Amino acid sequence: MSGGHQVLTLLLLSAVVVATLAVTSWVGSRRHASSQEFYAGGRLFTPLENGFAIAGDHMSAAAFLGIAGLVALYGYDGMLYSVGFLVAWLLVLLLIAEPVRNCGRYTLADVVAVRVRERPVRIALGCSSVTVSVLYLVAQLVGAGSLVALVLGGYGGAAYAWTVLGVGALMVFHVVCGGMRAATWIQIAKAVLLMGGALTLSVLVLLRFGGDLAALLTSAAENSGHGKDFLAPGLRYGGADRVSRLDFLSLGLALVLGTAGLPHVLARFCTVPTARAARRSAVWAIGLIGSFSLMTTVIGAGAAALVGTDAVRRSNAAGNTAVPLLSVELSGGAHATGGAAVVALVAAVAFASVLAAVAGVTLAASAAMTHDLYASLTPRRDRPDGWSQNGWSQNGWSQDGWSREGRSQRSWSQGGRRGGRKGEVAVARMAAVVIGAVAVGLSLSARELNVAFLLGLAFAVAASANLPVLLYALFWRRFTTCGAVCSVYGGLLPAVVLVVFSPVVSGGPQSLFPGRDFAYFPLENPGLVSIPLGFLAGWLGTLLSQRSADPARHAETEVRSLTGAGAV
């Protein structure tokens, strides 16, 4: 791109940054810094607003750039990501949305702690939630760095590094100053922009082929270098190789089951006033995400047909630049004014999507570190002034969250109803800085990995560690504290260890460490092994537990999850 075109891109990116900063500053100046406001936006969002925010959170740069890139490179196998993400939301709608809103407060651990002893479960789920969030953040930052580096003159290391650092600083600012309310409104605006951008590109691609989808797919197959194999399974997953087939199954399990265990997704259902609103939010999100998934498939096929798979791979081996390259082709080339303008707009929209997505994920991670880990590991006397663990009074709330008389009715303190724990909010803001620094550091060394694939790893860890304990806590009468802790660690540790010893980290040209080879686990996604281990560990831990489950707690959880009685 010429210097003038790069200036246009920079201006649009700057406009996005200024707009998000203005929203955050406005929200931060008008709202009281209570824990409920910081973590849940005061629970004042409507189902439509929350549905758009959920969709905006899902329709990230990683999904937009990564999935379209996988479709451009691998055809049918790349489309599996879109299908997996969409099917996953049906599980969320049927099993998760309403119970989480009725039983939860801010984090996943709040839901599980209703059934079991609080401290060990909060520590375990805090660790798993932070791990999932960091993996998710790395995917977003890699996508942002790849995109901006390309539109500014190539996939250079300096441009990538500065972009990652800049986005990291912005995401920390949004969380520290605006909390959930600022993140939500940025996500809503981003969802509208991204849907509009995807729709525009999809229409332009179809117009090139006279609206004939069959002609588009045929041309994509011809220009992919794979012929008819492009439209059949096996280019990346499910081929003749048994390992490839297992990897495909592992990826499918991670995508379908992982969404229900993502901390930032579960947190979004705590931002609406009722369980009915949570369910309606999920319905809105499914409609928007389904439409977006169809459009990313068209865009990816268009990149293969009009740009060519080899050209996409030469620009970026992981396919992350397929969307901007297609935008250039649709607008007359990189040196044409129209082409530069479209690329600049795509870059601005994708950049806005990154800022919105990383803000929500960082907020969920900081909530897990503060509300769960810090509150559980720090003695009460060492906490900041105004801190009251979990928002309950010391007199009305015993260590495990139940009154000493054995009653299952919770007792709110006056401060807990107000949610005015400024000390916890201050610690959460510091936690956001730490998480942002860790995510930026990892992203600087992961730029050659496909961002959609990185998302698959995050989903695998979420499905292995978070989903089993959530389902057991909501639906299994015999579930115990030992089972909860075993379920989390029994899924989290195998998932992390298998990723470390997989081809993602070493043994291949696109690995994190291409010059090393300690890939003893053959699958790229650990979900096929780690997800069953998470469920199995929870089951065995419950059976081997020395303490039996409290039937009164299960009864309250069941009534509350189904009716909302006593919900916060």
Side-chain angles (χ1 to χ4, degrees):
M1 297 178 66
S2 65
H5 296 158
Q6 291 180 2
V7 170
L8 175 62
T9 302
L10 287 174
L11 288 175
L12 289 175
L13 294 180
S14 300
V16 170
V17 172
V18 170
T20 57
L21 291 177
V23 170
T24 301
S25 300
W26 178 74
V27 170
S29 64
R30 292 173 60 90
R31 290 290 173 177
H32 180 65
S34 67
S35 57
Q36 180 169 298
E37 179 65 36
F38 185 77
Y39 292 135
R43 296 192 173 92
L44 299 175
F45 296 107
T46 66
L48 177 60
E49 292 169 346
N50 199 44
F52 266 88
I54 293 172
D57 206 357
H58 170 85
M59 296 184 303
S60 59
F64 187 40
L65 303 178
I67 294 177
L70 287 176
V71 174
L73 295 181
Y74 304 108
Y76 180 90
D77 286 2
M79 300 175 192
L80 295 175
Y81 275 89
S82 296
V83 176
F85 285 137
L86 181 59
V87 172
W89 282 99
L90 299 176
L91 175 66
V92 173
L93 174 63
L94 294 175
L95 296 179
I96 301 299
E98 290 190 54
V100 166
R101 176 60 192 88
N102 286 332
C103 297
R105 184 166 172 79
Y106 304 130
T107 65
L108 170 63
D110 290 335
V111 181
V112 181
V114 175
R115 287 287 315 276
V116 297
R117 285 191 297 120
E118 187 172 359
R119 188 173 183 271
V121 170
R122 286 194 180 277
I123 294 173
L125 284 173
C127 292
S128 67
S129 296
V130 170
T131 302
V132 172
S133 298
V134 169
L135 285 172
Y136 203 96
L137 285 173
V138 170
Q140 304 295 336
L141 294 174
V142 169
S146 302
L147 175 69
V148 177
L150 175 71
V151 299
L152 293 183
Y155 196 63
Y160 175 88
W162 282 109
T163 300
V164 170
L165 291 172
V167 174
L170 287 171
M171 76 181 184
V172 171
F173 174 81
H174 292 319
V175 172
V176 169
C177 297
M180 178 60 80
R181 187 168 293 275
T184 298
W185 284 112
I186 294 172
Q187 286 167 343
I188 292 172
K190 185 265 290 212
V192 174
L193 289 174
L194 199 55
M195 286 290 289
L199 179 61
T200 301
L201 289 177
S202 300
V203 170
L204 291 175
V205 168
L206 291 175
L207 288 177
R208 281 290 189 98
F209 295 91
D212 189 345
L213 183 60
L216 167 63
L217 295 177
T218 300
S219 179
E222 292 174 352
N223 292 327
S224 67
H226 300 288
K228 294 183 179 179
D229 292 339
F230 185 79
L231 302 177
L235 286 183
R236 184 175 178 90
Y237 304 108
D241 185 6
R242 180 176 299 178
V243 172
S244 180
R245 293 182 179 180
L246 293 176
D247 221 344
F248 160 70
L249 180 59
S250 183
L251 173 65
L253 284 174
L255 294 181
V256 172
L257 300 179
T259 301
L262 292 176
H264 62 283
V265 170
L266 299 176
R268 287 243 54 96
F269 294 115
C270 297
T271 63
V272 290
T274 64
R276 182 172 182 268
R279 183 180 67 251
R280 292 176 61 193
S281 298
V283 173
W284 275 106
I286 288 173
L288 294 169
I289 293 169
S291 302
F292 180 76
S293 299
L294 293 175
M295 289 187 287
T296 55
T297 301
V298 172
I299 292 170
L306 300 176
V307 179
T309 298
D310 290 340
V312 172
R313 186 175 284 109
R314 284 195 302 269
S315 175
N316 176 237
N320 296 331
T321 57
V323 174
L325 290 175
L326 174 63
S327 304
V328 172
E329 180 64 28
L330 291 172
S331 305
H335 299 288
T337 302
V342 171
V343 171
L345 288 172
V346 170
V349 171
F351 192 71
S353 73
V354 172
L355 294 180
V358 296
V361 178
T362 305
L363 183 60
S366 67
M369 283 191 66
T370 308
H371 191 66
D372 298 330
L373 285 174
Y374 185 85
S376 299
L377 296 174
T378 306
R380 186 179 297 275
R381 62 180 179 273
D382 295 335
R383 295 175 194 153
D385 293 338
W387 182 292
S388 172
Q389 184 174 8
N390 307 321
W392 306 94
S393 66
Q394 188 174 0
N395 294 330
W397 181 255
S398 63
Q399 182 178 6
D400 62 358
W402 300 88
S403 61
R404 295 182 179 180
E405 292 80 4
R407 294 173 299 179
S408 61
Q409 180 66 33
R410 291 185 168 183
S411 174
W412 285 93
S413 69
Q414 184 177 2
R417 286 195 298 266
R418 292 194 307 265
R421 303 195 306 278
K422 294 183 179 180
E424 181 174 354
V425 174
V427 176
R429 287 169 172 163
M430 290 187 288
V433 176
V434 174
I435 291 168
V438 172
V440 167
L442 293 175
S443 301
L444 292 176
S445 60
R447 65 175 185 170
E448 293 297 335
L449 294 179
N450 182 275
V451 288
F453 177 71
L454 287 171
L455 281 182
L457 294 181
F459 278 61
V461 177
S464 304
N466 293 349
L467 182 62
V469 69
L470 177 60
L471 294 180
Y472 281 148
L474 290 175
F475 303 111
W476 191 17
R477 183 182 299 272
R478 297 179 57 189
F479 196 48
T480 63
T481 301
C482 180
V485 174
C486 291
S487 181
V488 176
Y489 291 126
L492 174 63
L493 295 179
V496 173
V497 171
L498 292 177
V499 168
V500 170
F501 292 102
S502 73
V504 177
V505 177
S506 68
Q510 297 184 26
S511 303
L512 283 176
F513 304 104
R516 306 289 298 275
D517 189 2
F518 46 88
Y520 304 115
F521 181 67
L523 305 183
E524 293 183 346
N525 192 294
L528 184 63
V529 176
S530 59
I531 294 174
L533 285 178
F535 282 97
L536 179 62
W539 179 71
L540 288 177
T542 297
L543 293 183
L544 299 177
S545 176
Q546 296 180 354
R547 296 183 179 181
S548 59
D550 188 341
R553 295 190 182 188
H554 172 73
E556 185 195 10
T557 303
E558 187 175 36
V559 172
R560 183 171 173 178
S561 65
L562 295 176
T563 67
V568 179

